[in-house]
Amino acid sequence: MKNICENFRYVEKVRPWRDLTFKFYSDGRLIIIDNAAEEVITPKELKGDSRDFYIHKRIAFIKNQLIASQLKYA
């Protein structure tokens, strides 16, 4: 199985206006990169709108995985 990666870029709406890249891998891994500082951050370090963005994308990712599994074994 290929390890597919979906990339999303998000710029926070409030200070410090971090520029973030979210990488969701098909095996469930997640990497969040702060593009300005060039460092990897954890979901615990997200606040406000960036945390909401992460949660919505994560839920959509999980739903898509469930639908794919249902279609595979239906």
Side-chain angles (χ1 to χ4, degrees):
M1 180 178 159
K2 284 187 173 181
N3 198 6
I4 300 169
C5 176
E6 289 186 71
N7 295 312
F8 298 97
R9 186 171 179 191
Y10 187 79
V11 179
E12 292 180 332
K13 297 175 184 169
V14 294
R15 289 184 185 217
W17 298 306
R18 290 187 297 183
D19 180 6
L20 304 171
T21 299
F22 293 81
K23 294 184 174 200
F24 292 94
Y25 291 90
S26 60
D27 63 0
R29 288 184 301 131
L30 168 70
I31 297 175
I32 305 170
I33 302 169
D34 182 339
N35 296 318
E38 296 182 356
E39 61 183 25
V40 176
I41 62 173
T42 64
K44 291 179 186 178
E45 297 175 67
L46 298 174
K47 295 179 183 173
D49 58 326
S50 59
R51 183 180 207 104
D52 290 341
F53 177 82
Y54 160 70
I55 290 169
H56 288 288
K57 290 296 180 186
R58 188 59 143 178
I59 289 171
F61 178 78
I62 292 168
K63 282 182 181 180
N64 289 336
Q65 292 293 94
L66 288 172
I67 290 170
S69 293
Q70 287 176 338
L71 293 174
K72 183 177 178 181
Y73 297 109

